[in-house]
């Protein structure tokens, strides 16, 4: 009986790891989609200011990609109950 309980606990931990990995991939996919939505025309290898602008746009898109809302609504379907 203890071995069955140990296996169940092991599978719960493994499931949690897979859920975290899936949510990370989902967040990155949403971010990538948001980046591809509207491509800003920044010159490659331009000035330092242009590089900072690209980085700030990427950071802004990560925040505004909506991953927090999507993950909040997807997570209940992935939880073990």
């Amino acid at each position: 009986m203890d071995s069955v309980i140990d296996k169940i606990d092991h599978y719960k931990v493994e499931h949690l790891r897979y859920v975290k990995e899936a949510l990370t991939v989902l967040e990155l996919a949403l971010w990538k989609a948001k980046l591809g939505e509207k491509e800003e025309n920044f010159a490659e290898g331009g000035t330092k200011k242009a590089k900072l602008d690209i980085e700030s746009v990427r950071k802004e898109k990560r925040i505004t990609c909506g991953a927090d809302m999507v993950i909040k609504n997807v997570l209940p379907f992935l939880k073990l109950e």
Side-chain angles (χ1 to χ4, degrees), residues 65-78:
C65 71
D68 55 340
M69 289 184 286
V70 173
I71 289 173
K72 181 178 72 173
N73 291 315
V74 169
L75 191 59
F77 293 100
L78 301 176

Side-chain angles (χ1 to χ4, degrees), residues 10-72:
H10 169 74
Y11 289 130
K12 284 182 179 180
V13 170
E14 192 172 344
H15 178 265
L16 181 62
R17 184 174 56 90
Y18 286 133
V19 167
K20 286 181 180 180
E21 183 178 335
L23 293 178
T24 301
V25 170
L26 176 60
E27 180 181 4
L28 290 173
L30 291 168
W31 183 31
K32 183 177 181 180
K34 188 70 171 182
L35 285 174
E37 241 178 40
K38 296 179 183 175
E39 292 189 14
E40 282 72 22
N41 294 323
F42 290 111
E44 289 289 326
T47 64
K48 191 173 185 177
K49 184 170 175 33
K51 187 173 184 177
L52 289 175
D53 289 342
I54 292 171
E55 289 176 12
S56 66
V57 168
R58 289 176 60 88
K59 286 180 184 177
E60 178 191 344
K61 297 285 185 180
R62 185 161 188 194
I63 293 169
T64 61
C65 71
D68 55 340
M69 289 184 286
V70 173
I71 289 173
K72 181 178 72 173

